[in-house]
Amino acid sequence: EPEVTQTPSHQVTQMGQEVILRCVPISNHLYFYWYRQILGQKVEFLVSFYNNEISEKSEIFDDQFSVERPDGSNFTLKIRSTKLEDSAMYFCASRSPQETQYFGPGTRLLVL
Amino acid sequence: DAKTTQPPSMDCAEGRAANLPCNHSTISGNEYVYWYRQIHSQGPQYIIHGLKNNETNEMASLIITEDRKSSTLILPHATLRDTAVYYCIVNNNDMRFGAGTRLTVKP
């Protein structure tokens, strides 16, 4: 069964460093999403992406965040200058039109 | 913010049916009801969704009231592996998760 994959599974970085989280959505999906989950808290929507542009973003998704689909398979989330409070699980999701979202296993980001 | 209300926690005996309620009184006519679950810190796992008719798949059944203001997810024979946080979400596109219901299946 096709699934969303994410790399790396764990990332440790120093505060102020840039990180890129990678996702490979399910191959025929057209809508892509990033979510985050701070430890012990709920899953929070960050951004949705369709047709090579952001379709919606939350108030969390500020100027330090960016998303890109650099080729036909990857979907990335970049955090330009990480802060301690960026430590969280980051989940990628994808869907095809009229279908539900399928989530990846997540990347655990720890900012020191 | 989430447009749903769920009890924070529930227990269920192994082998029994788990019935998880959700209130979504402000649901609009074209919004679906989705159910996901999250086991520990894994990615949310899709369970089932519906618009107005009851739905059943290999994992669960979804019962939606006629006025669509509430629904119930039914796990017919809960196992220990069904212990998870269950999320009821109402939307058309972007998933807005609430706190969900922490279901604990006990032996």
Side-chain angles (χ1 to χ4, degrees):
Chain A
E1 185 174 326
E3 57 185 23
V4 177
T5 59
Q6 292 185 242
T7 55
S9 58
H10 294 77
Q11 173 91 48
V12 180
T13 190
Q14 296 291 323
M15 188 171 55
Q17 295 296 304
E18 175 183 285
V19 295
I20 297 176
L21 310 183
R22 291 182 169 79
C23 168
V24 179
I26 294 172
S27 64
N28 61 343
H29 286 186
L30 302 177
Y31 298 82
F32 313 111
Y33 305 83
W34 283 102
Y35 296 81
R36 80 171 186 191
Q37 186 175 33
I38 296 170
L39 185 63
Q41 299 185 23
K42 65 181 183 181
V43 177
E44 299 174 291
F45 167 76
L46 290 178
V47 66
S48 59
F49 191 87
Y50 169 72
N51 200 26
N52 284 320
E53 62 183 25
I54 291 173
S55 46
E56 190 170 349
K57 60 183 181 180
S58 72
E59 60 279 3
I60 303 170
F61 193 88
D62 60 23
D63 291 344
Q64 70 161 342
F65 290 94
S66 62
V67 290
E68 190 178 27
R69 188 154 163 83
D71 53 42
S73 61
N74 289 286
F75 180 51
T76 63
L77 174 69
K78 181 191 292 186
I79 309 175
R80 289 191 184 81
S81 177
T82 51
K83 299 179 283 201
L84 296 178
E85 53 264 40
D86 294 328
S87 294
M89 285 289 290
Y90 288 81
F91 296 107
C92 172
S94 70
R95 72 174 177 90
S96 59
Q98 308 306 319
E99 292 293 328
T100 190
Q101 293 183 33
Y102 291 91
F103 286 75
T107 292
R108 184 178 296 279
L109 176 65
L110 177 61
V111 182
L112 301 176
Chain B
D1 287 326
K3 297 169 61 175
T4 61
T5 304
Q6 298 178 253
S9 64
M10 291 181 65
D11 291 344
C12 177
E14 187 179 18
R16 304 298 293 269
N19 297 287
L20 293 97
C22 179
N23 286 321
H24 32 80
S25 57
T26 59
I27 191 170
S28 358
N30 59 350
E31 288 183 313
Y32 283 75
V33 180
Y34 292 84
W35 283 84
Y36 281 78
R37 73 181 181 184
Q38 188 176 27
I39 297 172
H40 196 47
S41 294
Q42 298 177 23
Q45 178 190 20
Y46 167 75
I47 301 173
I48 198 167
H49 74 286
L51 183 62
K52 54 183 179 180
N53 298 320
N54 297 338
E55 301 287 344
T56 296
N57 63 20
E58 65 279 3
M59 289 183 69
S61 295
L62 174 60
I63 309 298
I64 303 174
T65 57
E66 193 169 339
D67 63 7
R68 303 209 326 120
K69 293 185 177 182
S70 66
S71 60
T72 301
L73 178 75
I74 301 172
L75 307 179
H77 306 286
T79 71
L80 299 179
R81 287 177 296 180
D82 291 323
T83 292
V85 179
Y86 287 76
Y87 299 99
C88 167
I89 301 167
V90 167
N91 86 326
N92 274 325
N93 185 20
D94 304 321
M95 297 287 171
R96 307 292 170 140
F97 288 77
T101 296
R102 181 173 297 278
L103 175 69
T104 302
V105 181
K106 298 185 174 181

